[in-house]
Structures are given as C-alpha cells and as structure tokens.
Amino acid sequence: MIIENEIKLDFKDVLIKPKRSNLNSRSEVKLLQEFKFKHVKNYIWKGIPIMISNMDTTGTFEMALEAAKYNLMTCIHKYYNLEDWLKFIENISVFESNLNIFNHIAISCGSKNEDLLRLNTIIENIPNLKFICLDVANGYTESFVEFVSKVRELHPDKVIIAGTVVTREMTEELLLKGADIIKVGIGPGSVCTTRKKTGVGYPQLSAIIECADAAHGLNGYILADGGCTCAGDFGKAFGGGADFIMSGGMFAGHLESGGRLIEEDGKQFKEFYGMSSSTAMNIHSGGVANYRTSEGKRVLLPYKGEVKNTIQDILGGLRSTCTYVGASELKYLSKCTTFIRVSQQLNEIYGK
C-alpha cells in the first residue's frame, strides 16, 4: 500500500488569476485551432476543440449536425448500426454537406471483437470518416493497449482517440501504441458513479495537468473527459493544458439530445444516464451482468430546448476567460493561466 501526499486538484479547488490584457473585446479572441496528429500524416484538423460525449443521450446525429455549425465535434455513440449511418449520410442536405461533417464527427467503438467488426464494416462503407474514438471505462488493461495497436494497424489514416486513463504512464503507453488523442477522466462525469462504487478515480484538473505534460512530450494530445459543470470549467480545463474537452452533461437535455422526453406535472424533462448505468445496460445489453455492478445513474433534466444556446454560452465564456488573462487565441490560454487555490467559488446567498 502506498499513499501519495501531494495535493491533487479539481475544478472546484481553483480559480484563474486575471492578468493585464491588450484585448479590448471578447470578439477579438480566436477560438479556432489547427491540429496535426502524431500518427496521421498530411491531415490538419481545424475547429474549436470541444467534443460532445459519445453517450447515447448526447452523441446523436442530430447533435452532430448542429454542433458542426459552430465548428465543434461530436463523438457519435456506438449503438447506431451501418444502416443508421448510411441513412444519416444520405440525408445530409446541400447546406449541411458544406459543413464538411466528416471533420466534426468521430465513430465510437468498444474493445470487443463485435465492436471492431462493426467499426470496420462502417468505415469500409463510409471511408471518409476520419476520427475513431476507442472508448472503455478502464484504459489500463493490457488487452485494451493491444486493441489500440490493432486498430492503428488496420486504420493507419485515421485519427485515434483512446482511453480512459488519468496517469502519465498510460497516457504515454497509449500514444506509443498508436493513439493520437488520449481520453482523460475516471469518475468526474455528472452521471458516473465509478468513484462511489469502486473507490477509484483522480481529481480531474490534476489528471489534465499531468497527462497533458506527458502527452505533449510525445507530440500527442489529451481529451479532458467529464467534470465540466459550467462554462468556466472549460476555461480551467484548457488553462490546465487540455487540448480537447469532452462533455456529456452540459449537452444533455436538449432538442438534439437522445433520451426520452418526459412530462411530469406540466413540466418537460429529458432522460440522461451514464453508459455504465443499469438503465443503459438494460437498453443495450439485456441487463446488468451478474459479475458487475451499475456504475452510473439516471436523472431527469429540465428540458433545455435547442443546444445552440448552450454552445453559445460555453464559447462566450471561453472568450471571456481568454480576455481576462490576455490570451488572444485559445491555444495560448494554458500559457497565460495561473491557478490560485480557493476554498469558495461563488457567493451563493441568493442561490447557485
């Protein structure tokens, strides 16, 4: 047994210190970035590096089309079959085709043989897909490392996102085995109960800082997955060194989100649940297997309407963060960030 005594931080533990700035308006801040990738040559991705989670209540085709208008990416959930994908591509309008949707979606895949078969079949039929998200709850197994290596061999021209991990050594291992972007975050999600059920996890801001340092040394990137509860947390994650940020809860509950629309006492709600919850396993796996437990929960969120309002709120918050610290572009935010530890974030006397 080992105890690490170094303090680890979450978003709630810090604020960003303001600094002198030459920016006169939030409108001057450039959020678009360009990325080249470790294992994929001659491809440059341009966009705002925010990804909508591949949960079936957020990573929908409808969400992808709306998010692409704002240069965001959506990781499409893995429960769409080939027919669903072909129908989606076929029904894209002339206007939507101008969005170059393939630069703004990733196909998701688990680590089972049937997952790989589905991935290969869809890519064979839709070769323009550029991003693959290899997503498992525990990215520390040898079998997952081997799986990443196998997918890299099969798809040398695809950008591979792989995880989930929270430490330096596995960030480096997955990059060396073929991943381009490492998904970071165990337990910070709003409908994840992994920390409660297993006792395993890592404070998200410290995970971002440490994994980003490891990834950048190998010309790789990290995707900070989970823990953002408000627009300001996106600024903290980018300030801590995240290259991309993934969020589920912030994008749940909208018109474009999955999940049932439910009415109770004259009010509308949308269903949102973790992908390791009993709800998700009942829908997709025939129930919770007798060797495991549910590591997610189901909630009803007040219906939020169109997702564009949430996207604009997040992007506006990011521009403001950059303005406060003098970062003319989002890519400079981490260089301009100084965190200060705090015991209180907000004055909540009149509510949150």
Side-chain angles (χ1 to χ4, degrees), residues 204-222:
Q204 184 68 348
L205 181 59
S206 284
I208 290 168
I209 293 169
E210 295 168 25
C211 292
D213 182 63
H216 297 164
L218 292 174
N219 295 320
Y221 303 115
I222 69 159

Side-chain angles (χ1 to χ4, degrees), residues 3 5 11 17 26 58-59 98 109-110 114 177 182 188 196 202 205-206 225-226 250 257 285 306 319 335:
I3 296 177
N5 290 309
F11 297 137
K17 184 178 179 179
R26 295 170 179 83
T58 54
N98 291 334
C109 179
E114 56 264 36
K177 286 298 189 292
I182 307 304
K196 184 176 182 179
Y202 210 95
L205 181 59
S206 284
D225 177 20
M250 292 286 288
S257 308
S285 306
E306 295 180 345
R319 290 188 184 95
K335 295 180 174 63

Side-chain angles (χ1 to χ4, degrees), residues 255-291:
L255 171 67
E256 299 84 358
S257 308
R260 293 180 298 161
L261 183 64
I262 298 170
E263 187 166 322
E264 292 185 359
D265 300 325
K267 297 180 180 179
Q268 289 186 314
F269 300 86
K270 262 214 163 180
E271 193 175 34
F272 178 50
Y273 47 83
M275 296 313 295
S276 292
S277 66
S278 58
T279 302
M281 286 187 275
N282 287 334
I283 293 172
H284 300 296
S285 306
V288 182
N290 59 12
Y291 59 85

